[in-house]
Amino acid sequence: MNKIVKYVKESYSELVNKVSWPTRTEVVNSSVVVLSASVIIAIVILAMDLLFGNVLMSLIYTGTVNF
């Protein structure tokens, strides 16, 4: 039991004294970058899915690719 208490105390001390926490501005900026990148990647994947879906449907129903 003493080992667990010691571990918790050391962990708390490390979090309070040694960890460098980002500022609110840094967190907001990082979040905006991640959100923007996620939206851009989702749009690219959607466009590719629609394109390949249309190509496959054209091949299945007509035997040729019509854009």
Side-chain angles (χ1 to χ4, degrees), residues 7-64:
Y7 174 77
V8 171
K9 285 182 179 180
E10 288 176 356
S11 297
Y12 177 78
S13 174
E14 186 171 342
L15 284 173
V16 170
N17 299 320
K18 294 182 182 178
V19 173
S20 173
W21 296 99
T23 64
R24 180 178 174 88
T25 305
E26 292 172 336
V27 171
V28 169
N29 288 340
S30 298
S31 298
V32 168
V33 169
V34 169
L35 184 62
S36 301
S38 298
V39 168
I40 291 169
I41 291 169
I43 291 170
V44 168
I45 290 173
L46 173 66
M48 291 171 55
D49 181 50
L50 292 173
L51 176 69
F52 292 139
N54 287 336
V55 168
L56 284 175
M57 286 299 171
S58 293
L59 284 173
I60 289 171
Y61 290 115
T62 64
T64 61

